[in-house]
């Protein structure tokens, strides 16, 4: 796409999204048109669409912001295409989605903004997206989805559990990636999780899951999962992981269950002969949120290239977490810092010689990223998964 086409797409979307309630109205209109004009596609979506609508607008915004970066956008779209095979979608479904999206945008943009040239620009943009996703799906020879049996469930905190599964066949993924997961009690409601261990020939995979208050899926994963349950897993996604052809030192920043993709990478790195120095900052609101410190202690003791610094916002645990004994000091772990993790990391020193990875909530990622950029760290050195 040329710069004129990109500008038209971006301007139209920004104008619609800038209106009061614009993103939600756009998403509601899109699904209403899609299900009215193409009722057969309704079966691909969950009964409750609140989370789906929010994710749709964020995904469109992510793509629109990267139309001028095909080297980043096209691999992302290819991954989505491979992942969407789990729904059983075909080329005609992409056409239905594209037509419905254009109709929704046209309705909200109005006749002054939605010209014939804008119509052609969106048609070209949607065509590139659909062709990339369809092409990637057609070339893929791995399963459309994997089936996994729960072999262990361990409650770590009242709202956090570690779940280990054995897949029906091994999945090849890069340590640091994430994937969509569906549990039996929540059909068609896929949620993204990051494996906390590298891929292995036994097909065993481990997830760290925190129950989100008011969530549809995560509370059921944490409280109702039982050994023997069958989960479905989509294709691997995401671009985190060790960069190839570089020996640059690494800075990893993770909060809560955000340790999972970072921990998987550290475990994968222990299999290598040599590694660059890695400084990991692990954050939590309370000390009990640093539940994986014993594992990280073992990794740090065995691998001198790894430094681990725990960070908490409060030095006291919540009322519901009772621990009568002070936790023992763990070897290989630096003294605990108190404060907001982004501020602590930025104040620790200069990181402009590092490859940086940030994992956590969207607000934590953005705050930490901006604080590091304010110290002079180049944006190109910072990586995180899409904030969808």
């Amino acid at each position: 796409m040329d710069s004129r086409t990109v500008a038209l797409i971006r301007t139209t979307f920004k104008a619609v999204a800038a209106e009061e309630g614009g993103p939600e109205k756009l998403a509601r209109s899109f699904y209403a048109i899609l299900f009215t004009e193409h009722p057969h596609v309704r079966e691909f979506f969950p009964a409750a669409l609140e989370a789906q609508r929010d994710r749709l607008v964020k995904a469109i915004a992510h793509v629109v912001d990267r139309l001028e970066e095909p080297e980043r956008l096209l691999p992302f779209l290819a991954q989505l295409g491979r992942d969407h095979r789990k729904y059983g979608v075909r080329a005609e479904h992409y056409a239905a989605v594209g037509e419905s999206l254009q109709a929704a945008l046209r309705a909200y943009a109005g006749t002054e903004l939605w010209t014939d040239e804008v119509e052609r620009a969106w048609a070209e943009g949607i065509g590139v997206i659909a062709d990339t996703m369809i092409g990637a799906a057609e070339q893929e020879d791995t399963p459309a989805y994997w089936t996994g049996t729960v072999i262990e469930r361990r409650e770590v905190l009242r709202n956090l559990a570690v779940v280990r599964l054995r897949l029906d066949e091994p999945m090849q993924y890069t340590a640091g990636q994430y994937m969509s997961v569906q549990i039996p009690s929540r059909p068609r409601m896929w949620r993204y999780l990051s494996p906390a261990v590298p891929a292995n020939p036994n097909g065993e995979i481990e997830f760290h899951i925190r129950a989100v208050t008011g969530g549809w899926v995560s509370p059921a994963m944490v409280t109702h999962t039982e050994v023997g349950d069958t989960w479905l897993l989509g294709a691997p996604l995401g671009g985190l992981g060790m960069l190839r052809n570089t020996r640059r030192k690494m800075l990893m920043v993770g909060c809560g269950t955000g340790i999972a993709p970072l921990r998987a990478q550290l475990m994968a790195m222990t299999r290598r002969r040599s590694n660059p120095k890695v400084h990991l900052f692990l954050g939590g609101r309370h000390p009990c949120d640093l539940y994986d410190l014993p594992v990280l202690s073992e990794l740090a003791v065995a691998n001198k290239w790894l430094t681990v610094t725990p960070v908490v916002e409060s030095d006291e645990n919540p009322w519901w977490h009772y621990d009568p004994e002070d936790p023992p000091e763990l070897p290989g772990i630096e003294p605990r810092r108190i404060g907001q993790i982004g501020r602590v990391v930025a104040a620790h020193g200069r990181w402009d010689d590092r490859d940086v990875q940030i994992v956590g909530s969207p607000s934590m990622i953005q705050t930490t990223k901006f604080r590091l950029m304010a110290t002079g760290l180049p944006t190109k050195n910072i990586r995180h998964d899409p904030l969808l």
Side-chain angles (χ1 to χ4, degrees):
M1 290 179 286
D2 59 29
S3 58
R4 174 67 176 174
T5 300
V6 171
L8 290 171
I9 293 174
R10 188 168 291 157
T11 301
T12 312
F13 181 74
K14 298 293 185 184
V16 172
E19 295 183 8
E20 184 176 357
E24 183 178 356
K25 291 178 182 177
L26 174 64
R28 288 183 178 277
S29 178
F30 163 74
Y31 283 114
I33 295 170
L34 178 65
F35 297 154
T36 300
E37 299 296 326
H38 309 277
H40 61 286
V41 306
R42 184 64 180 87
E43 64 183 270
F44 298 125
F45 296 88
L49 288 171
E50 287 84 356
Q52 191 73 26
R53 284 194 289 264
D54 182 58
R55 191 175 297 145
L56 168 74
V57 175
K58 288 181 178 179
I60 296 173
H62 180 79
V63 170
V64 167
D65 285 342
R66 286 157 182 79
L67 289 174
E68 293 173 309
E69 303 175 80
E71 70 284 354
R72 296 176 61 188
L73 177 60
L74 296 183
F76 170 76
L77 294 173
Q79 285 187 344
L80 281 185
R82 290 189 286 269
D83 178 59
H84 276 56
R85 293 176 302 141
K86 68 182 183 239
Y87 299 115
V89 297
R90 299 185 297 275
E92 58 265 30
H93 298 134
Y94 284 98
V97 168
E99 293 168 6
S100 301
L101 178 58
Q102 281 192 260
L105 285 163
R106 186 186 308 115
Y108 280 97
T111 55
E112 290 188 10
L113 184 59
W114 193 268
T115 63
D116 289 343
E117 188 180 16
V118 170
E119 178 93 24
R120 290 192 296 271
W122 273 97
E124 181 180 346
I126 291 173
V128 170
I129 294 169
D131 289 346
T132 303
M133 295 178 67
I134 293 170
E138 291 177 344
Q139 294 174 11
E140 189 63 32
D141 58 2
T142 60
Y145 57 84
W146 283 256
T147 300
T149 302
V150 176
I151 59 175
E152 180 186 0
R153 175 196 171 273
R154 178 165 51 90
E155 185 175 302
V156 178
L157 298 172
R158 187 183 66 168
N159 61 347
L160 194 152
V162 172
V163 178
R164 183 174 284 262
L165 302 97
R166 180 174 291 114
L167 305 182
D168 55 351
E169 60 178 285
M171 176 193 292
Q172 294 302 316
Y173 61 87
T174 300
Q177 288 190 301
Y178 62 97
M179 58 201 60
S180 53
V181 177
Q182 177 184 279
I183 60 175
S185 61
R186 298 293 186 270
R188 294 181 294 176
M189 299 183 73
W190 296 80
R191 289 298 180 268
Y192 293 128
L193 298 176
S194 296
V197 295
N200 62 79
N202 297 325
E204 290 193 2
I205 195 166
E206 179 179 295
F207 297 114
H208 297 186
I209 310 162
R210 186 184 294 275
V212 177
T213 302
W216 282 87
V217 179
S218 60
M221 288 180 164
V222 170
T223 60
H224 299 309
T225 294
E226 296 183 357
V227 172
D229 285 353
T230 299
W231 291 14
L232 302 182
L233 294 83
L237 301 165
L240 292 186
M242 284 286 293
L243 290 174
R244 296 181 178 180
N245 303 321
T246 180
R247 301 298 299 174
R248 191 163 56 212
K249 291 182 286 187
M250 301 178 67
L251 167 64
M252 293 180 168
V253 186
C255 274
T257 55
I259 187 57
L262 304 179
R263 180 229 232 198
Q265 293 180 66
L266 295 173
M267 288 183 168
M269 292 170 68
T270 63
R271 302 171 181 174
R272 297 158 51 114
R273 287 189 174 183
S274 63
N275 287 291
K277 288 186 178 297
V278 178
H279 197 142
L280 167 66
F281 284 83
L282 174 62
R285 183 168 298 176
H286 307 284
C288 65
D289 293 322
L290 308 178
Y291 64 92
D292 212 42
L293 275 183
V295 173
L296 297 173
S297 170
E298 293 179 7
L299 289 173
V301 169
N303 302 278
K304 300 307 179 185
W305 44 263
L306 174 61
T307 301
V308 179
T309 302
V311 182
V312 292
E313 296 181 16
S314 170
D315 207 19
E316 297 183 355
N317 280 318
W319 64 267
W320 50 261
H321 183 83
Y322 175 68
D323 190 348
E325 298 180 0
D326 291 332
E329 291 189 8
L330 296 171
I333 304 297
E334 291 200 328
R336 192 165 64 206
R337 308 293 182 88
I338 309 297
Q340 194 274 333
I341 191 167
R343 183 179 290 110
V344 171
V345 175
H348 194 275
R350 295 189 60 85
W351 303 106
D352 50 358
D353 62 339
R354 304 272 176 149
D355 167 39
V356 180
Q357 295 186 36
I358 310 173
V359 186
S361 68
S363 60
M364 172 268 180
I365 291 175
Q366 292 286 41
T367 300
T368 303
K369 181 178 179 178
F370 291 148
R371 288 191 181 280
L372 289 174
M373 289 167 58
T375 68
L377 180 70
T379 307
K380 63 182 178 63
N381 288 11
I382 304 174
R383 292 187 291 145
H384 57 81
D385 282 320
L387 305 178
L388 305 182

